[in-house]
Each structure stands twice: as C-alpha cells, then as structure tokens.
Amino acid sequence: MKKYILGIDGGGTKTHCSVFNLDGDPVDFISWGKTNHECLKGGYDELKQELDKLITYVFDKNGIIADELGKCVFGLAGVDTKKQHELISNIIADLGIKDFILCNDTYLGVKAGCENGFGICAINGTAFNIGGIDSRGNMLQIGGLGAMSGGDFGGGEYLAGKAMSATYNSIFKGDPDTYLTDLFFEILNIKSKFDFVEALQYKIDEGEYRYDFFNKLIFEAANKNDAVALEILDNMGREYARCINGLITNLDFGREETINVILAGSIFVKGENSRAIDKIKQEVIEKNKERRIAFNILKSPPVAGAVLWALEENGCKRHNREKVLNAYAN
C-alpha cells in the first residue's frame, strides 16, 4: 500500500529530502551533502553512493520500505541532457525506487513558487540555471551548461571569480580602481598588492574560506556605489534576462496568461544589493511590453516544489499546497 512520497532537491552544495504522507502531512526533513555528479570527484559512481546512503538513512529512520512509496520527485542539479537523465534515472531505479520524476532542480522552483504550477524559475545559488514549464506541460532549460550555453554569468562561484579578477586587473593591469581591492586586502590581512595572489590562494587551499565565499564582496562594494561591482551585477542581470526572454519565446505561454518569474537561490534570496534583480526586471519587461510579467522571490525551499509535484502526481488534491508550504514556514 502506498503511504509516502519523497521530494528531493539536490545541488552542488547541499541536498534537501522531504518525506510526506499522501495526506500532505510532513513526516521528516533531512539535510544532506552534495548530490550533483558534476561536483563529486567520483562522478556518477559517487552520486549513486550518496543517494544510496541518503535513501537508506531515510528508510531506516522512518521505518519505510520502497514498496510504500508513491511517485517521488528528484530535482537534481546536473540533469541537463537526455543522456544525464538516462544515467541518473538508472541509478535511482537501481536503488529500488521505481516510480519517480527526475528533472533538473531549477524546475522545482516553478512548482514551489507558482500556484498554478507553471512559469519560469531563475536560480542564482552556487551556480546558474533557468528553466520554465508552460501551462501545456512543456519544459525547457536555458543556460547552466557553461561555455556550451554561452557562459553562465551568475552563481556564487561566478561572482567570486569576478571579484578576484576585477581586483587583480585593477592592481596589476591598470583597470579602474575598485573598492573590492580594499575589501580583499582587509580579509587577507595584507598591505602590498604583491601579496594578493599568494595570500588568496593560501586562504582557499587551507580551507579558511570556500571559493564562493568571496561573492559577498561584490554586494558590499556595490552598496558603496563601486562602479566595477555595479557593472558586474548589471551584466549578471542582463544574462538572466536574456535567458528568461528566451524561455518566453520558446515556451507556449498564452498571450493572456500572466507569466510568473520566480527568482531563487541564495544570491537572489540573500543578496544585499538588488541591482541585478532590478536589471532583470527592466530588461524582461522592456522585451515583453505586451505581456503581463510577475516577479517573485522564492520564499519556500525548492524541495517544497518536489513535494507538491509528487503529491499532484499521486492524485492528491491541490488544497494540500498551503499545508505543504506551511510545513516549511519555520
């Protein structure tokens, strides 16, 4: 007898797994490590090991067996192509879960943030990704493929790299002065530009700072009206807008529909300067003057989208939506 569903949101930094019963009541919530095969040294093999450990832990902790699971939803970063989908689907099936939806994690933001279940989600977290689902169920992802998709100008690692390169280019290549230099010198406790590279590399290699920690310096500098930092955020906003506009063009959103754009991920949700978000809104609205566009920051964790999707697939009524979202309110 089917009793439970799993909703999983797996990324390059952390993974969230929620267990709900088929009445839409929360049973358990587990925070786990990374489950993006592209961020694991062992690739697909290590992904299988991590998912096996996670699912075994969930089953043992809650007294669940695989036969009691209804249709589950796995939203995993790194599911960008049909081949990746096939390989990871086989991994999940080998672990004993036979009925599931596997998708890129960006689609979870649509399900979590859009009451009608369709729209666009732009993720700006550890990495960059944008996906959309239209009212006919068509799904499309734009970006998230690095150089293949024209470069991903977003995400914590991107911003950290831009902060480093802007500082380096300023002190050694004659680029404009930037407040980022002052911030780096303070964090690294250096006084000479000739110590910059060695001190920065040492802090990262020794694990004192994670690489993407330095993305926050962009926001600190932007809050001081630093022209270099503001341009970096503008460029990031322009690239997200281009991808959102591409989804509006390539998916079948009805002319009378309001297109909901959900902004998710720590950079959008926790960023201390709204410059990039303002640029996104400006460019998307300008490009779609005849359309109704609504922008919202995702207030619920994306894993809530996996749960809502799974409940819907199992025939549960949509009134479970508020109950599910309320389960994450604290």
Side-chain angles (χ1 to χ4, degrees):
M1 180 179 177
K2 307 303 182 185
K3 297 180 180 179
Y4 307 101
I5 59 94
L6 300 181
I8 294 181
D9 169 33
T13 303
K14 63 182 181 299
T15 297
H16 288 157
C17 173
S18 283
V19 184
F20 274 65
N21 64 30
L22 292 182
D23 291 324
D25 300 312
V27 175
D28 201 2
F29 175 83
I30 295 97
S31 186
W32 202 259
K34 62 183 74 171
T35 50
N36 178 351
H37 72 276
E38 295 171 343
C39 299
L40 295 168
K41 291 181 180 179
Y44 292 105
D45 289 338
E46 189 172 354
L47 171 62
K48 184 173 185 177
Q49 294 169 10
E50 284 301 311
L51 288 177
D52 189 14
K53 287 188 289 186
L54 171 58
I55 292 168
T56 299
Y57 175 80
V58 171
F59 283 6
D60 289 347
K61 183 182 177 187
N62 294 283
I64 295 171
I65 60 174
D67 287 346
E68 293 178 314
L69 291 179
K71 194 165 192 172
C72 301
V73 173
F74 290 72
L76 303 182
V79 182
D80 301 309
T81 67
K82 290 181 180 179
K83 185 63 175 179
Q84 290 172 327
H85 188 280
E86 177 185 353
L87 290 170
I88 298 173
S89 291
N90 290 338
I91 287 172
I92 295 171
D94 286 345
L95 297 177
I97 299 180
K98 304 303 182 183
D99 195 7
F100 60 88
I101 290 173
L102 171 66
C103 63
N104 187 275
D105 60 332
T106 190
Y107 295 113
L108 302 185
V110 176
K111 294 295 185 179
C114 301
E115 186 170 356
N116 54 17
F118 59 87
I120 293 169
C121 180
I123 294 181
N124 196 352
T126 303
F128 171 112
N129 218 339
I130 303 176
I133 305 173
D134 66 26
S135 58
R136 290 146 190 82
N138 301 309
M139 301 168 65
L140 179 64
Q141 175 187 341
I142 292 184
L145 299 173
M148 185 185 300
S149 54
D152 297 333
F153 305 133
E157 292 189 355
Y158 165 81
L159 287 180
K162 295 301 289 185
M164 295 173 193
S165 62
T167 300
Y168 186 93
N169 290 341
S170 176
I171 61 180
F172 288 120
K173 296 183 182 179
D175 279 8
D177 291 340
T178 170
Y179 185 60
L180 289 165
T181 302
D182 298 327
L183 294 173
F184 268 113
F185 276 38
E186 180 180 352
I187 284 178
L188 300 176
N189 194 26
I190 59 175
K191 299 187 183 304
S192 169
K193 65 182 181 181
F194 299 107
D195 294 324
F196 173 68
V197 172
E198 185 171 356
L200 179 59
Q201 194 66 58
Y202 178 82
K203 295 286 189 183
I204 295 172
D205 288 347
E206 292 299 309
E208 185 170 346
Y209 293 112
R210 246 178 38 184
Y211 183 90
D212 65 355
F213 164 83
F214 298 99
N215 76 72
K216 74 173 194 172
L217 302 189
I218 295 288
F219 295 100
E220 290 185 38
N223 287 337
K224 296 287 187 179
N225 289 319
D226 179 76
V228 172
L230 290 172
E231 182 60 20
I232 290 170
L233 292 178
D234 279 346
N235 286 337
M236 183 172 72
R238 290 187 190 100
E239 184 62 16
Y240 272 97
R242 289 177 66 204
C243 294
I244 292 168
N245 289 333
L247 284 169
I248 293 172
T249 298
N250 287 284
L251 285 175
D252 189 10
F253 293 107
R255 300 300 300 182
E256 302 304 316
E257 295 174 4
T258 295
I259 302 173
N260 292 294
V261 178
I262 306 301
L263 304 176
S266 58
I267 303 299
F268 281 147
V269 175
K270 299 178 182 178
E272 298 175 358
N273 187 288
S274 66
R275 182 81 171 209
I277 291 175
D278 294 340
K279 180 60 68 174
I280 291 170
K281 292 178 179 179
Q282 174 190 335
E283 303 246 337
V284 171
I285 291 171
E286 177 65 25
K287 184 77 172 180
N288 300 278
K289 292 180 179 178
E290 306 303 317
R291 308 298 296 266
R292 294 195 305 273
I293 314 287
F295 295 89
N296 289 289
I297 300 293
L298 185 63
K299 295 183 174 64
S300 303
V303 70
V307 170
L308 288 164
W309 200 346
L311 290 172
E312 180 183 343
E313 289 292 323
N314 284 279
C316 300
K317 295 180 180 179
R318 295 195 63 85
H319 67 251
N320 281 316
R321 178 178 179 82
E322 288 307 314
K323 186 194 295 187
V324 170
L325 296 180
N326 287 338
Y328 296 97
N330 297 321

